[in-house]
């Protein structure tokens, strides 16, 4: 399965702080925002990932992430000169996707929860049709909303409904089979001139090939597109990391725990950042004494689930 991180747009809801930098490079507490969606794909076992952004911002992402080899993964980049809707990502990355299935995650979305990595790894195996993830929200009229029947089958998808049938918002993480590029090519632009992801999801639904996995209690989904949401996300990460002693979306540690790099390589990555608490954390977790193996396994479980 290939991966795509959509990190385009101008971040207009965050102006003026995004006038000179991509929104997805803003800090969410102690790390760049893009680390969070990147970590989700890495936890899913996806190692061939393309980042889509505007021409003005791509050089910044390349400087931060390079080709991904330091994490044991492959990163490539594609330009989107102007926002044309989420579904346009499949046309922009058509060559990257090829004949594979694909996971698309929005660059300003943060996911966290117990056994999230395990859930993703299971969901990405042999994707047929599309797999969506739903999360209960307080104001569902602001989102695409999915409705499940008593058997847990997805029966309807509504985009920003005035009278939502449920409070289950469809998050910014989507899994599709190898037909999604052809579906995207056949879409008609909306009144805003954009290719809507909801239209793709409805086509799969009409085929009987759409599944929605609810992320209920124990899961957190954050959209960091506003000043308030960005602040709340930073506070959430700060509190959780302080209490648990583990770092959310530490891509270096995830790369090691997933087996993409070895312990020594992970330590070296931390040593380059040794002047920061983030770097010192990486160095510390890779130096857990072997006599504390049981504790080490417990810590790994927190990182990978």
């Amino acid at each position: 399965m290939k991966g795509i991180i959509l990190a385009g747009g101008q971040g207009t809801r965050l102006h003026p702080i995004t006038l000179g930098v991509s929104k997805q490079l803003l800090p969410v507490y102690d790390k760049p925002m893009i680390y969070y969606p990147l970590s989700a794909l890495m936890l899913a076992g996806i190692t061939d990932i393309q980042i889509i952004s505007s021409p003005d911002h791509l050089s910044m992402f390349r400087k931060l992430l390079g080709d991904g080899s330091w994490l044991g993964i492959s990163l490539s980049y594609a330009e989107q000169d102007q926002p044309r809707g989420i579904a346009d990502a499949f046309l922009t990355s058509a060559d990257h996707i090829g004949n594979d299935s694909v996971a698309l995650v929005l660059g300003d979305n943060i996911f966290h929860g117990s056994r999230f990595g395990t859930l993703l790894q299971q969901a990405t195996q042999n994707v047929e049709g599309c797999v969506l993830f739903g999360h209960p929200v307080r104001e569902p009229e602001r989102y695409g909303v999915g409705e499940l029947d008593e058997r847990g089958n997805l029966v309807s998808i509504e985009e920003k409904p005035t009278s939502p049938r449920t409070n289950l918002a469809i998050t910014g993480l989507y899994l599709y089979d190898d037909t999604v590029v052809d579906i995207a090519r056949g879409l008609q632009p909306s009144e805003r001139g954009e290719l809507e992801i909801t239209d793709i999801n409805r086509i799969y639904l009409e085929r009987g090939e759409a599944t929605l996995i609810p992320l209920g209690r124990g899961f957190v989904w954050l959209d960091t597109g506003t000043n308030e949401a960005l602040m709340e996300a930073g506070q959430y990460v700060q509190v959780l990391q302080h209490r648990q002693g583990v770092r959310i979306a530490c891509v270096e540690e995830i790369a090691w725990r997933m087996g993409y790099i070895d312990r020594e390589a992970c330590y070296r990555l931390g040593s380059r950042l040794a002047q920061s608490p983030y770097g010192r954390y990486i160095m510390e977790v890779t130096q857990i004494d072997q006599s504390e193996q049981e504790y080490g396994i417990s810590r790994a479980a927190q990182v990978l689930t």
Side-chain angles (χ1 to χ4, degrees), residues 89-294:
F90 302 115
L91 304 184
T92 302
S93 293
D95 290 341
H96 168 68
I97 298 169
N99 296 320
D100 293 319
S101 56
V102 62
L104 169 66
V105 61
L106 303 186
D108 61 359
N109 275 216
I110 296 175
F111 297 87
H112 183 253
S114 175
R115 298 186 62 78
F116 183 57
T118 301
L119 175 66
L120 288 182
Q121 291 166 30
Q122 293 172 345
T124 54
Q125 297 300 313
N126 300 318
V127 172
E128 296 181 359
C130 78
V131 179
L132 311 173
F133 298 86
H135 193 276
V137 294
R138 187 170 54 186
E139 298 176 309
E141 61 274 9
R142 295 174 49 208
Y143 305 92
V145 176
E147 179 187 8
L148 302 176
D149 64 17
E150 63 279 1
R151 297 182 179 179
N153 298 315
L154 182 62
V155 294
S156 74
I157 298 173
E158 296 181 286
E159 182 64 24
K160 298 180 180 179
T162 54
S163 300
R165 299 178 185 178
T166 75
N167 69 338
L168 202 58
I170 297 174
T171 72
L173 175 61
Y174 316 86
L175 311 179
Y176 297 99
D177 64 15
D178 58 2
T179 67
V180 68
V181 174
D182 289 335
I183 292 175
R185 287 183 176 130
L187 291 182
Q188 294 298 316
S190 66
E191 294 180 357
R192 298 183 299 173
E194 298 183 351
L195 299 181
E196 303 290 349
I197 196 71
T198 297
D199 291 339
I200 286 183
N201 296 337
R202 283 176 176 153
I203 290 173
Y204 278 108
L205 179 62
E206 291 169 359
R207 293 178 175 180
E209 298 176 350
T211 301
L212 189 143
I213 298 175
L215 302 176
R217 291 187 178 183
F219 287 95
V220 172
W221 168 55
L222 302 171
D223 177 344
T224 55
T226 67
N227 292 291
E228 292 76 12
L230 185 61
M231 180 71 72
E232 290 173 358
Q235 291 171 339
Y236 172 81
V237 173
Q238 179 190 28
V239 170
L240 204 64
Q241 291 185 168
H242 177 72
R243 292 210 174 248
Q244 294 189 346
V246 297
R247 301 254 166 178
I248 300 172
C250 178
V251 293
E252 295 87 350
E253 184 180 8
I254 291 171
W256 167 44
R257 302 291 191 186
M258 293 291 293
Y260 303 150
I261 60 176
D262 61 26
R263 182 190 298 266
E264 290 73 22
C266 187
Y267 181 86
R268 288 195 298 270
L269 292 175
S271 66
R272 297 174 187 173
L273 309 173
Q275 297 302 310
S276 70
Y278 182 88
R280 291 194 293 273
Y281 167 82
I282 296 170
M283 296 167 68
E284 290 167 3
V285 296
T286 57
Q287 294 299 299
I288 296 174
D289 192 273
Q290 294 302 311
S291 65
E292 298 177 334
Q293 185 67 21
E294 182 177 349

Side-chain angles (χ1 to χ4, degrees), residues 79-92:
E79 291 187 2
Q80 189 183 60
D81 56 2
Q82 62 182 7
R84 288 189 289 269
I86 296 174
D88 180 68
F90 302 115
L91 304 184
T92 302

